[in-house]
Amino acid sequence: MGSTFIVQGITLGTEGIISEFTPLPRELSHKWSLRQIGGHLLLKSLTYVVAMPFYSASLVETVQSEIIRDNPGILDCVKEGIGRVIGMGVPHSKRLLPLMALTFPTVLHGVLHYIISSIIQKFVLLVLKRENSQSLPTESSNSVQSMLDAYFPELIASFAASLCADVMIYPLETVLHRLHIQGTRTIIDNTDLGYEVLPINTQYEGMRDCINTIKQEEGMLGFYKGFGAVVVQYTLHVAVLQLTKIIYSMLLQNVA
């Protein structure tokens, strides 16, 4: 978890710094233009490029088997990311792809995820707010109900946006993760059997070769390996949303 939060912090910090020293807009105004959208997406792309080596190091920590590794330090992913850039640090095999080969799939994945989630979120939020506006407030309306009407649509829209984006580009994420992990001498748990570990011995030459190899050797279902974890993740997400709504409803009843 530590490395994941660090990567998020690096991403947000990089985006803020680049937007401060360049004319690239961090947010789009309501009266946006194609030039503003292009600048905004360029800002996102540059941010993903800067965060890429740290994301790669964090990914290795995330999938590495607990049996093999020692307890990683909080800043290990920063050290490994910097080492990846300057070519120092933990030794890797010759199958390790250079960062230049990882730049396009990493930026493509990040930008597509951002575009899809932004469009879905705005659409769902627009629909929910239109439905709420049609139900006129009554005299019994209170601050708790107002809070529920104000924030719950935001939560639903964010959930729907994240779900749609993750599902739609999951095959690309599979390819991206395999490319980042290759050559890092990572040992992973065999989640099919549950009692042994497996080395990563892939030899992809790039994004296109990875896609073709998965398609030939594993079929189309190969792109969706590990999708069950996404199902579990969003099932828990739905449970949290339902629990939040129940709590708000109980507060409404107590106030009434």
Side-chain angles (χ1 to χ4, degrees):
M1 284 182 62
S3 64
T4 304
F5 287 126
I6 287 175
V7 172
Q8 289 293 330
I10 292 174
T11 302
L12 293 173
T14 301
E15 185 175 335
I17 292 172
I18 295 177
S19 64
E20 283 291 328
F21 292 96
T22 64
L24 302 178
R26 193 172 187 179
E27 300 289 342
L28 290 176
S29 61
H30 293 291
K31 296 181 180 179
W32 50 265
S33 63
L34 290 178
R35 183 177 180 180
Q36 285 181 330
I37 293 178
H40 183 62
L41 293 180
L42 178 59
L43 172 63
K44 293 290 183 182
S45 300
L46 293 174
T47 301
Y48 297 137
V49 171
V50 173
M52 179 175 59
F54 308 102
Y55 171 79
S56 185
S58 173
L59 184 62
V60 172
E61 283 189 13
T62 304
V63 302
Q64 183 81 282
S65 174
E66 292 286 347
I67 300 175
I68 304 299
R69 71 175 181 181
D70 298 325
N71 291 328
I74 296 178
L75 297 178
D76 276 3
C77 79
V78 177
K79 182 177 67 176
E80 291 295 329
I82 295 174
R84 183 78 182 270
V85 174
I86 63 178
M88 297 177 62
V90 177
H92 301 104
S93 73
K94 295 181 180 179
R95 292 175 288 108
L96 183 72
L97 292 172
L99 290 176
M100 288 297 295
L102 299 174
T103 300
F104 176 72
T106 302
V107 172
L108 179 64
H109 173 269
V111 171
L112 282 179
H113 192 282
Y114 175 74
I115 292 174
I116 293 172
S117 60
S118 297
I119 292 175
I120 297 295
Q121 185 173 9
K122 291 185 183 300
F123 174 75
V124 173
L125 196 59
L126 180 65
V127 172
L128 293 176
K129 285 187 174 180
R130 183 173 296 178
E131 290 180 356
N132 287 341
S133 64
Q134 291 176 356
S135 56
L136 298 175
T138 61
E139 294 180 357
S140 61
S141 297
N142 50 53
S143 59
V144 180
Q145 180 66 51
S146 300
M147 189 180 298
L148 180 62
D149 293 339
Y151 292 108
F152 201 71
E154 294 275 358
L155 295 176
I156 295 296
S158 177
F159 166 78
S162 181
L163 173 62
C164 291
D166 283 350
V167 171
M168 291 176 69
I169 64 173
Y170 189 85
L172 178 58
E173 185 176 2
T174 299
V175 173
L176 178 67
H177 287 177
R178 293 195 183 191
L179 294 176
H180 273 282
I181 294 297
Q182 176 174 298
T184 57
R185 297 184 176 176
T186 302
I187 304 295
I188 63 172
D189 294 308
N190 187 341
T191 53
D192 293 327
L193 299 179
Y195 57 81
E196 65 181 13
V197 293
L198 297 171
I200 301 295
N201 293 321
T202 56
Q203 298 184 15
Y204 306 123
E205 297 179 0
M207 180 178 174
R208 181 180 298 179
D209 181 53
C210 181
I211 293 173
N212 292 334
T213 303
I214 294 174
K215 198 181 299 182
Q216 291 172 4
E217 297 182 357
E218 305 173 43
M220 294 304 295
L221 291 179
F223 292 101
Y224 289 92
K225 283 189 174 180
F227 191 74
V230 178
V231 175
V232 173
Q233 173 188 337
Y234 283 101
T235 300
L236 294 174
H237 200 157
V238 169
V240 171
L241 286 176
Q242 288 298 323
L243 181 62
T244 304
K245 193 169 185 180
I246 290 172
I247 292 173
Y248 271 118
S249 300
M250 291 173 61
L251 289 174
L252 279 173
Q253 292 176 0
N254 293 335
V255 172

